[in-house]
Amino acid sequence: MLTDRFITKQTMDRFYEYLIEEERSSGTIEKYIRDVRLLQSWLGPAPVTKENAARWKQELLQSGRAPSTVNSMLAAANTYFRFMGWDELKLKSIRLQRRFFRENERELTKAEYQLLMGTAKKRGDERLALLMETICATGIRVSELRFITAEAVQTGRAEVVNKGKRRAVFLPEKLR
């Protein structure tokens, strides 16, 4: 019967083990568990049905969350549905238009950059100043700083491997 589908502690424990077996990262596992528990809480005593899942999706959209956030939550629910064999409950993600450029509000102005660098130098924190300079000169993420090694500085090129993707980051001569 389709109305006897519930998210339980037992199925969540098995889902957690499944995510580990699937070699998901610890961050992904935490997020998927948190998001499916959010769905469980939203459902209350109601069963998991296509209609209820679609209503949850609509509520997520109306909650003011960014569409990419809603999509990540739908991905968690869809992974749980697939794990449970409830493939017909799969929710479609929200279509997003690709952005080729960042919004100007998310970029540092030259004045903001100089203020940050000046503050780090005034505090005598040369390491922080070098980290910020590296990030701003290369566009790498904070999590990718570990790939900027002495060898990378010598060769002018760092090989960044993050989330299963590999890319080359070139280090400008002035930065080196």
Side-chain angles (χ1 to χ4, degrees), residues 96-107:
L96 301 174
Q97 185 174 351
R98 275 191 76 147
R99 293 185 186 146
F100 294 102
F101 301 98
R102 293 235 182 255
E103 295 90 11
N104 287 340
E105 311 88 59
R106 295 196 58 174
E107 290 184 10

Side-chain angles (χ1 to χ4, degrees), residues 56-66 69-70 73:
W56 180 64
K57 176 183 173 180
Q58 284 306 314
E59 190 160 309
L60 291 175
L61 284 168
Q62 293 169 355
S63 71
R65 290 177 171 88
T69 301
V70 172
M73 297 171 85

Side-chain angles (χ1 to χ4, degrees), residues 71-89:
N71 279 345
S72 71
M73 297 171 85
L74 298 178
N78 285 338
T79 301
Y80 179 79
F81 296 159
R82 187 173 57 249
F83 163 74
M84 292 297 294
W86 303 342
D87 294 318
E88 67 279 1
L89 298 182

Side-chain angles (χ1 to χ4, degrees), residues 1-175:
M1 183 177 208
L2 295 179
T3 58
D4 63 351
R5 294 178 171 171
F6 293 93
I7 301 170
T8 66
K9 181 184 179 339
Q10 293 78 16
T11 61
M12 288 299 290
D13 289 345
R14 290 191 352 248
F15 182 55
Y16 177 83
E17 293 301 322
Y18 167 78
L19 293 171
I20 291 172
E21 289 170 15
E22 289 289 304
E23 298 180 7
R24 302 293 180 117
S25 72
S26 60
T28 298
I29 293 171
E30 287 175 30
K31 181 170 183 359
Y32 278 22
I33 296 296
R34 183 175 59 246
D35 290 345
V36 174
R37 284 197 174 126
L38 183 70
L39 170 59
Q40 178 186 31
S41 173
W42 182 87
L43 285 166
V48 183
T49 63
K50 182 71 173 177
E51 295 77 25
N52 285 342
R55 284 187 20 243
W56 180 64
K57 176 183 173 180
Q58 284 306 314
E59 190 160 309
L60 291 175
L61 284 168
Q62 293 169 355
S63 71
R65 290 177 171 88
S68 58
T69 301
V70 172
N71 279 345
S72 71
M73 297 171 85
L74 298 178
N78 285 338
T79 301
Y80 179 79
F81 296 159
R82 187 173 57 249
F83 163 74
M84 292 297 294
W86 303 342
D87 294 318
E88 67 279 1
L89 298 182
K90 185 176 184 229
L91 297 162
K92 290 184 181 176
S93 60
I94 300 151
R95 293 179 57 129
L96 301 174
Q97 185 174 351
R98 275 191 76 147
R99 293 185 186 146
F100 294 102
F101 301 98
R102 293 235 182 255
E103 295 90 11
N104 287 340
E105 311 88 59
R106 295 196 58 174
E107 290 184 10
L108 285 178
T109 65
K110 187 173 184 176
E112 290 168 332
Y113 171 75
Q114 289 171 336
L115 179 65
L116 285 171
M117 294 300 291
T119 302
K121 288 176 182 173
K122 261 191 239 167
R123 291 174 55 194
D125 198 340
E126 184 182 5
R127 184 172 185 261
L128 178 60
L130 288 170
L131 289 173
M132 290 189 322
E133 195 172 353
T134 302
I135 290 169
C136 292
T138 61
I140 64 172
R141 297 174 174 90
V142 172
S143 63
E144 297 172 338
L145 279 167
R146 63 192 163 115
F147 296 101
I148 307 299
T149 62
E151 180 186 348
V153 172
Q154 287 174 347
T155 63
R157 182 177 195 266
E159 201 64 33
V160 174
V161 181
N162 199 5
K163 296 187 176 186
K165 297 175 191 158
R166 179 181 298 269
R167 67 186 173 101
V169 174
F170 297 98
L171 305 175
E173 186 63 39
K174 190 173 182 183
L175 177 65

